[in-house]
Amino acid sequence: MGGRSPGEDEETERRSADALQILGFDVTVIEGPDVGKNVQVHSAGGRVQIGTSEVCDLRLSDPAVSRRHVALEVEGYRMRVTDLGSTNGTFANDTSIVAAYLHGRDLLRLGGTVLKVLLKPVTPKSVEHADGFGRLVGRSAAISQLFALAERLARSDVSVLIEGETGTGKELLAECLHEASARAASPFVVLDCRTTPRASLEAVLFGEEPRDGREPRQGVFEMAKGGTVFIDEPGDLDLDVQGKLLRVLDKREILPVGADQWRKIDVRVLCATSRNLDKLVEEQKFREDFFFRIAGARIELPALRARRDDVKLLAEHFWRTHGGEGALPQSFLEHVSDYTWPGNVRELEQSIARFIALGEAAGLRIDRSSRPRKEGQRDSIAPPGGGVEGGGEQIIQRVLDQQLTFQDGRQRVLQEFERAFIARALAEHGGNVGRAAASYGIGRRYFQMIRARQPK
């Protein structure tokens, strides 16, 4: 009897994986000082890192391997390998790569270490699925498996680093982790490292004792007593502040500015970033020990282009939550089904909001200029010209009368909508920002940012 060809074997394995709906790869060291070490990479587990750093999922002792050498993640039926700026490079099947896709039965070489990559489907018993998590919505494999991981993390008290592009919903995920945890009845306090003045950062973090006639000030860790502190963009923190926060997380105590006694704290810390903290550590711009402390677990929110099956579901969700009447017009779905959404879920939500604000008759189009686009240039979504019914017509006419540029005019229309949206949302919920944000499925801080943009 003749044996099956490698192609037939691979097809059989793919069909098996497809039936299970979960695909995994087994990565094992077969040459080098760490022979036998192993890590599994699967679609429900997120990104896996290999290197000599203690924060790596597979830690090697090979001196020719960088601290964070390579990242592995499953995309569809393939495993994506990404070199993280290593010193000695990454080789897939003897070819030097920056990034590549592997399908199984491959070899990876990092320094003097060789790893064998094998396709290994993961059974449904080992991975849970979910259709949603708190106020986050999605059914695609890329997001539902992440929801299952979030459910498990919500039941723990481990620090979590949430990664992902701008607009993917990192703060909303942090809020949902808090709301699903045993700390839900206690405060959720946000520290935005990008907007907090450096001169007052330590007082904001740790509080300040009364002096020179000033009132005592609570820091975010005391304000969140028993709850959660959410640190947004920790990569913007200076190294000395990172060192002070490291002690806080290790010892669970703070020293307010001007105080001489340490105070115990009881909080959970969640962080979010759209930056590559691994690269910042390599460049010595971010403390490795602090990174290890905040990344007790890591969740990487996928870009919307990686979960295209969710676009219709999300569009209908935002249509309902923003007050759209009846079913979402088919004209919207027809125009955006092939759009890449560079602004992710946030851009989709804002597009729905504009659509509702301008009236259903306005329609929606993706504005692709006839001029050649520069590499990386984004498509823009905007209402077509012409009048619309009701208030939308008045908004457009006022803007047109100002003879603004297209971009400025579109932004002015959005501002008009945001003003009306904030006023209505707050009126519906008695001025309570938290309830208003929650009712519309957006993050509390994002709601406050929109509110802060409105004229006084």
Side-chain angles (χ1 to χ4, degrees), residues 77-103:
Y77 289 111
R78 308 171 296 180
M79 184 177 78
R80 179 181 173 87
V81 182
T82 305
D83 184 272
L84 299 175
S86 65
T87 301
N88 295 316
T90 298
F91 296 80
N93 302 318
D94 294 325
T95 300
S96 177
I97 65 166
V98 174
Y101 286 104
L102 304 182
H103 297 82

PDB file of all heavy atoms in Angstrom, residues 77-103:
ATOM      1  N   TYR A  77      -4.983  29.205   9.401  1.00  0.00           N
ATOM      2  CA  TYR A  77      -4.340  27.897   9.456  1.00  0.00           C
ATOM      3  C   TYR A  77      -2.827  28.003   9.495  1.00  0.00           C
ATOM      4  O   TYR A  77      -2.127  27.021   9.258  1.00  0.00           O
ATOM      5  CB  TYR A  77      -4.753  27.062   8.235  1.00  0.00           C
ATOM      6  CG  TYR A  77      -6.187  26.601   8.278  1.00  0.00           C
ATOM      7  CD1 TYR A  77      -7.120  27.113   7.395  1.00  0.00           C
ATOM      8  CD2 TYR A  77      -6.592  25.659   9.211  1.00  0.00           C
ATOM      9  CE1 TYR A  77      -8.438  26.695   7.429  1.00  0.00           C
ATOM     10  CE2 TYR A  77      -7.902  25.237   9.257  1.00  0.00           C
ATOM     11  CZ  TYR A  77      -8.822  25.749   8.367  1.00  0.00           C
ATOM     12  OH  TYR A  77     -10.120  25.328   8.402  1.00  0.00           O
ATOM     13  N   ARG A  78      -2.319  29.186   9.777  1.00  0.00           N
ATOM     14  CA  ARG A  78      -0.881  29.382   9.749  1.00  0.00           C
ATOM     15  C   ARG A  78      -0.385  29.949  11.074  1.00  0.00           C
ATOM     16  O   ARG A  78      -1.158  30.493  11.850  1.00  0.00           O
ATOM     17  CB  ARG A  78      -0.508  30.349   8.620  1.00  0.00           C
ATOM     18  CG  ARG A  78      -1.066  29.977   7.268  1.00  0.00           C
ATOM     19  CD  ARG A  78      -0.845  31.082   6.247  1.00  0.00           C
ATOM     20  NE  ARG A  78      -1.550  32.310   6.584  1.00  0.00           N
ATOM     21  CZ  ARG A  78      -1.509  33.410   5.855  1.00  0.00           C
ATOM     22  NH1 ARG A  78      -0.761  33.435   4.757  1.00  0.00           N
ATOM     23  NH2 ARG A  78      -2.183  34.496   6.207  1.00  0.00           N
ATOM     24  N   MET A  79       0.911  29.821  11.302  1.00  0.00           N
ATOM     25  CA  MET A  79       1.525  30.465  12.457  1.00  0.00           C
ATOM     26  C   MET A  79       2.431  31.574  11.936  1.00  0.00           C
ATOM     27  O   MET A  79       3.330  31.325  11.125  1.00  0.00           O
ATOM     28  CB  MET A  79       2.342  29.467  13.283  1.00  0.00           C
ATOM     29  CG  MET A  79       2.927  30.098  14.554  1.00  0.00           C
ATOM     30  SD  MET A  79       3.832  28.923  15.587  1.00  0.00           S
ATOM     31  CE  MET A  79       5.371  28.820  14.659  1.00  0.00           C
ATOM     32  N   ARG A  80       2.187  32.777  12.386  1.00  0.00           N
ATOM     33  CA  ARG A  80       3.003  33.923  11.980  1.00  0.00           C
ATOM     34  C   ARG A  80       4.208  34.023  12.906  1.00  0.00           C
ATOM     35  O   ARG A  80       4.064  34.015  14.140  1.00  0.00           O
ATOM     36  CB  ARG A  80       2.199  35.210  12.025  1.00  0.00           C
ATOM     37  CG  ARG A  80       3.004  36.453  11.645  1.00  0.00           C
ATOM     38  CD  ARG A  80       2.156  37.712  11.720  1.00  0.00           C
ATOM     39  NE  ARG A  80       2.954  38.909  11.531  1.00  0.00           N
ATOM     40  CZ  ARG A  80       3.239  39.441  10.347  1.00  0.00           C
ATOM     41  NH1 ARG A  80       2.786  38.870   9.246  1.00  0.00           N
ATOM     42  NH2 ARG A  80       3.964  40.542  10.255  1.00  0.00           N
ATOM     43  N   VAL A  81       5.379  34.141  12.330  1.00  0.00           N
ATOM     44  CA  VAL A  81       6.630  34.310  13.072  1.00  0.00           C
ATOM     45  C   VAL A  81       7.135  35.718  12.806  1.00  0.00           C
ATOM     46  O   VAL A  81       7.292  36.115  11.645  1.00  0.00           O
ATOM     47  CB  VAL A  81       7.685  33.278  12.624  1.00  0.00           C
ATOM     48  CG1 VAL A  81       8.964  33.446  13.435  1.00  0.00           C
ATOM     49  CG2 VAL A  81       7.150  31.863  12.745  1.00  0.00           C
ATOM     50  N   THR A  82       7.392  36.480  13.864  1.00  0.00           N
ATOM     51  CA  THR A  82       7.854  37.861  13.715  1.00  0.00           C
ATOM     52  C   THR A  82       9.135  38.064  14.509  1.00  0.00           C
ATOM     53  O   THR A  82       9.156  37.854  15.730  1.00  0.00           O
ATOM     54  CB  THR A  82       6.796  38.865  14.213  1.00  0.00           C
ATOM     55  OG1 THR A  82       5.559  38.624  13.544  1.00  0.00           O
ATOM     56  CG2 THR A  82       7.244  40.297  13.958  1.00  0.00           C
ATOM     57  N   ASP A  83      10.198  38.432  13.828  1.00  0.00           N
ATOM     58  CA  ASP A  83      11.449  38.774  14.519  1.00  0.00           C
ATOM     59  C   ASP A  83      11.260  40.095  15.254  1.00  0.00           C
ATOM     60  O   ASP A  83      10.740  41.062  14.683  1.00  0.00           O
ATOM     61  CB  ASP A  83      12.595  38.876  13.516  1.00  0.00           C
ATOM     62  CG  ASP A  83      13.932  39.123  14.188  1.00  0.00           C
ATOM     63  OD1 ASP A  83      14.261  40.313  14.409  1.00  0.00           O
ATOM     64  OD2 ASP A  83      14.639  38.154  14.485  1.00  0.00           O
ATOM     65  N   LEU A  84      11.662  40.155  16.512  1.00  0.00           N
ATOM     66  CA  LEU A  84      11.440  41.337  17.341  1.00  0.00           C
ATOM     67  C   LEU A  84      12.677  42.237  17.393  1.00  0.00           C
ATOM     68  O   LEU A  84      13.005  42.809  18.423  1.00  0.00           O
ATOM     69  CB  LEU A  84      11.028  40.920  18.755  1.00  0.00           C
ATOM     70  CG  LEU A  84       9.735  40.104  18.853  1.00  0.00           C
ATOM     71  CD1 LEU A  84       9.485  39.648  20.280  1.00  0.00           C
ATOM     72  CD2 LEU A  84       8.548  40.920  18.331  1.00  0.00           C
ATOM     73  N   GLY A  85      13.351  42.348  16.262  1.00  0.00           N
ATOM     74  CA  GLY A  85      14.551  43.179  16.217  1.00  0.00           C
ATOM     75  C   GLY A  85      15.739  42.512  16.871  1.00  0.00           C
ATOM     76  O   GLY A  85      16.563  43.179  17.516  1.00  0.00           O
ATOM     77  N   SER A  86      15.852  41.204  16.714  1.00  0.00           N
ATOM     78  CA  SER A  86      16.922  40.445  17.363  1.00  0.00           C
ATOM     79  C   SER A  86      18.288  40.827  16.815  1.00  0.00           C
ATOM     80  O   SER A  86      18.413  41.353  15.699  1.00  0.00           O
ATOM     81  CB  SER A  86      16.698  38.941  17.164  1.00  0.00           C
ATOM     82  OG  SER A  86      16.810  38.610  15.792  1.00  0.00           O
ATOM     83  N   THR A  87      19.323  40.532  17.587  1.00  0.00           N
ATOM     84  CA  THR A  87      20.692  40.858  17.181  1.00  0.00           C
ATOM     85  C   THR A  87      21.189  39.937  16.081  1.00  0.00           C
ATOM     86  O   THR A  87      21.809  40.387  15.109  1.00  0.00           O
ATOM     87  CB  THR A  87      21.636  40.760  18.393  1.00  0.00           C
ATOM     88  OG1 THR A  87      21.197  41.663  19.407  1.00  0.00           O
ATOM     89  CG2 THR A  87      23.066  41.097  17.995  1.00  0.00           C
ATOM     90  N   ASN A  88      20.909  38.651  16.203  1.00  0.00           N
ATOM     91  CA  ASN A  88      21.470  37.663  15.279  1.00  0.00           C
ATOM     92  C   ASN A  88      20.469  37.132  14.260  1.00  0.00           C
ATOM     93  O   ASN A  88      20.791  36.239  13.482  1.00  0.00           O
ATOM     94  CB  ASN A  88      22.066  36.497  16.076  1.00  0.00           C
ATOM     95  CG  ASN A  88      23.255  36.940  16.904  1.00  0.00           C
ATOM     96  OD1 ASN A  88      24.111  37.675  16.424  1.00  0.00           O
ATOM     97  ND2 ASN A  88      23.309  36.524  18.154  1.00  0.00           N
ATOM     98  N   GLY A  89      19.260  37.663  14.273  1.00  0.00           N
ATOM     99  CA  GLY A  89      18.299  37.293  13.246  1.00  0.00           C
ATOM    100  C   GLY A  89      17.532  36.012  13.523  1.00  0.00           C
ATOM    101  O   GLY A  89      17.858  35.238  14.441  1.00  0.00           O
ATOM    102  N   THR A  90      16.505  35.801  12.723  1.00  0.00           N
ATOM    103  CA  THR A  90      15.660  34.611  12.817  1.00  0.00           C
ATOM    104  C   THR A  90      15.645  33.928  11.457  1.00  0.00           C
ATOM    105  O   THR A  90      15.523  34.595  10.424  1.00  0.00           O
ATOM    106  CB  THR A  90      14.221  34.997  13.218  1.00  0.00           C
ATOM    107  OG1 THR A  90      14.246  35.620  14.505  1.00  0.00           O
ATOM    108  CG2 THR A  90      13.318  33.773  13.269  1.00  0.00           C
ATOM    109  N   PHE A  91      15.747  32.603  11.459  1.00  0.00           N
ATOM    110  CA  PHE A  91      15.790  31.835  10.221  1.00  0.00           C
ATOM    111  C   PHE A  91      14.685  30.789  10.229  1.00  0.00           C
ATOM    112  O   PHE A  91      14.563  30.012  11.188  1.00  0.00           O
ATOM    113  CB  PHE A  91      17.147  31.157  10.043  1.00  0.00           C
ATOM    114  CG  PHE A  91      18.290  32.128   9.890  1.00  0.00           C
ATOM    115  CD1 PHE A  91      18.848  32.741  11.002  1.00  0.00           C
ATOM    116  CD2 PHE A  91      18.778  32.447   8.629  1.00  0.00           C
ATOM    117  CE1 PHE A  91      19.890  33.655  10.865  1.00  0.00           C
ATOM    118  CE2 PHE A  91      19.821  33.354   8.485  1.00  0.00           C
ATOM    119  CZ  PHE A  91      20.373  33.967   9.601  1.00  0.00           C
ATOM    120  N   ALA A  92      13.867  30.795   9.185  1.00  0.00           N
ATOM    121  CA  ALA A  92      12.820  29.789   9.015  1.00  0.00           C
ATOM    122  C   ALA A  92      13.219  28.898   7.855  1.00  0.00           C
ATOM    123  O   ALA A  92      13.340  29.364   6.717  1.00  0.00           O
ATOM    124  CB  ALA A  92      11.474  30.455   8.736  1.00  0.00           C
ATOM    125  N   ASN A  93      13.468  27.608   8.164  1.00  0.00           N
ATOM    126  CA  ASN A  93      13.904  26.662   7.122  1.00  0.00           C
ATOM    127  C   ASN A  93      15.106  27.205   6.349  1.00  0.00           C
ATOM    128  O   ASN A  93      15.142  27.209   5.117  1.00  0.00           O
ATOM    129  CB  ASN A  93      12.749  26.339   6.175  1.00  0.00           C
ATOM    130  CG  ASN A  93      11.557  25.746   6.912  1.00  0.00           C
ATOM    131  OD1 ASN A  93      11.721  24.908   7.796  1.00  0.00           O
ATOM    132  ND2 ASN A  93      10.357  26.184   6.559  1.00  0.00           N
ATOM    133  N   ASP A  94      16.071  27.763   7.123  1.00  0.00           N
ATOM    134  CA  ASP A  94      17.348  28.278   6.594  1.00  0.00           C
ATOM    135  C   ASP A  94      17.226  29.582   5.807  1.00  0.00           C
ATOM    136  O   ASP A  94      18.191  30.030   5.187  1.00  0.00           O
ATOM    137  CB  ASP A  94      18.053  27.222   5.715  1.00  0.00           C
ATOM    138  CG  ASP A  94      18.487  26.008   6.516  1.00  0.00           C
ATOM    139  OD1 ASP A  94      18.863  26.192   7.692  1.00  0.00           O
ATOM    140  OD2 ASP A  94      18.437  24.888   5.967  1.00  0.00           O
ATOM    141  N   THR A  95      16.056  30.207   5.842  1.00  0.00           N
ATOM    142  CA  THR A  95      15.877  31.503   5.180  1.00  0.00           C
ATOM    143  C   THR A  95      15.750  32.598   6.226  1.00  0.00           C
ATOM    144  O   THR A  95      14.932  32.500   7.145  1.00  0.00           O
ATOM    145  CB  THR A  95      14.617  31.498   4.304  1.00  0.00           C
ATOM    146  OG1 THR A  95      14.737  30.481   3.293  1.00  0.00           O
ATOM    147  CG2 THR A  95      14.422  32.848   3.625  1.00  0.00           C
ATOM    148  N   SER A  96      16.570  33.637   6.101  1.00  0.00           N
ATOM    149  CA  SER A  96      16.502  34.742   7.039  1.00  0.00           C
ATOM    150  C   SER A  96      15.184  35.498   6.845  1.00  0.00           C
ATOM    151  O   SER A  96      14.819  35.831   5.712  1.00  0.00           O
ATOM    152  CB  SER A  96      17.681  35.695   6.818  1.00  0.00           C
ATOM    153  OG  SER A  96      17.596  36.811   7.689  1.00  0.00           O
ATOM    154  N   ILE A  97      14.485  35.760   7.943  1.00  0.00           N
ATOM    155  CA  ILE A  97      13.163  36.407   7.842  1.00  0.00           C
ATOM    156  C   ILE A  97      13.052  37.574   8.820  1.00  0.00           C
ATOM    157  O   ILE A  97      13.735  37.638   9.837  1.00  0.00           O
ATOM    158  CB  ILE A  97      12.024  35.408   8.137  1.00  0.00           C
ATOM    159  CG1 ILE A  97      12.109  34.933   9.596  1.00  0.00           C
ATOM    160  CG2 ILE A  97      12.034  34.245   7.173  1.00  0.00           C
ATOM    161  CD1 ILE A  97      10.876  34.210  10.092  1.00  0.00           C
ATOM    162  N   VAL A  98      12.166  38.490   8.477  1.00  0.00           N
ATOM    163  CA  VAL A  98      11.688  39.496   9.415  1.00  0.00           C
ATOM    164  C   VAL A  98      10.328  39.048   9.937  1.00  0.00           C
ATOM    165  O   VAL A  98      10.016  39.162  11.116  1.00  0.00           O
ATOM    166  CB  VAL A  98      11.594  40.883   8.751  1.00  0.00           C
ATOM    167  CG1 VAL A  98      10.942  41.892   9.700  1.00  0.00           C
ATOM    168  CG2 VAL A  98      12.972  41.362   8.343  1.00  0.00           C
ATOM    169  N   ALA A  99       9.513  38.504   9.027  1.00  0.00           N
ATOM    170  CA  ALA A  99       8.227  37.912   9.378  1.00  0.00           C
ATOM    171  C   ALA A  99       7.895  36.868   8.321  1.00  0.00           C
ATOM    172  O   ALA A  99       8.260  37.022   7.153  1.00  0.00           O
ATOM    173  CB  ALA A  99       7.128  38.965   9.450  1.00  0.00           C
ATOM    174  N   ALA A 100       7.235  35.802   8.747  1.00  0.00           N
ATOM    175  CA  ALA A 100       6.884  34.732   7.817  1.00  0.00           C
ATOM    176  C   ALA A 100       5.746  33.916   8.388  1.00  0.00           C
ATOM    177  O   ALA A 100       5.469  33.947   9.595  1.00  0.00           O
ATOM    178  CB  ALA A 100       8.090  33.837   7.551  1.00  0.00           C
ATOM    179  N   TYR A 101       5.077  33.160   7.495  1.00  0.00           N
ATOM    180  CA  TYR A 101       4.022  32.250   7.915  1.00  0.00           C
ATOM    181  C   TYR A 101       4.523  30.815   7.786  1.00  0.00           C
ATOM    182  O   TYR A 101       5.108  30.437   6.764  1.00  0.00           O
ATOM    183  CB  TYR A 101       2.764  32.430   7.067  1.00  0.00           C
ATOM    184  CG  TYR A 101       1.993  33.684   7.367  1.00  0.00           C
ATOM    185  CD1 TYR A 101       2.039  34.778   6.524  1.00  0.00           C
ATOM    186  CD2 TYR A 101       1.212  33.775   8.518  1.00  0.00           C
ATOM    187  CE1 TYR A 101       1.321  35.936   6.801  1.00  0.00           C
ATOM    188  CE2 TYR A 101       0.496  34.931   8.808  1.00  0.00           C
ATOM    189  CZ  TYR A 101       0.558  36.004   7.942  1.00  0.00           C
ATOM    190  OH  TYR A 101      -0.152  37.142   8.235  1.00  0.00           O
ATOM    191  N   LEU A 102       4.284  30.015   8.817  1.00  0.00           N
ATOM    192  CA  LEU A 102       4.634  28.597   8.793  1.00  0.00           C
ATOM    193  C   LEU A 102       3.360  27.764   8.863  1.00  0.00           C
ATOM    194  O   LEU A 102       2.351  28.197   9.427  1.00  0.00           O
ATOM    195  CB  LEU A 102       5.550  28.250   9.973  1.00  0.00           C
ATOM    196  CG  LEU A 102       6.844  29.070  10.098  1.00  0.00           C
ATOM    197  CD1 LEU A 102       7.659  28.560  11.277  1.00  0.00           C
ATOM    198  CD2 LEU A 102       7.666  29.014   8.810  1.00  0.00           C
ATOM    199  N   HIS A 103       3.416  26.563   8.294  1.00  0.00           N
ATOM    200  CA  HIS A 103       2.238  25.700   8.259  1.00  0.00           C
ATOM    201  C   HIS A 103       2.435  24.401   9.038  1.00  0.00           C
ATOM    202  O   HIS A 103       1.551  23.559   9.095  1.00  0.00           O
ATOM    203  CB  HIS A 103       1.880  25.360   6.802  1.00  0.00           C
ATOM    204  CG  HIS A 103       1.508  26.554   5.983  1.00  0.00           C
ATOM    205  ND1 HIS A 103       2.446  27.380   5.399  1.00  0.00           N
ATOM    206  CD2 HIS A 103       0.305  27.086   5.666  1.00  0.00           C
ATOM    207  CE1 HIS A 103       1.837  28.358   4.751  1.00  0.00           C
ATOM    208  NE2 HIS A 103       0.544  28.210   4.896  1.00  0.00           N
TER     209      HIS A 103
END
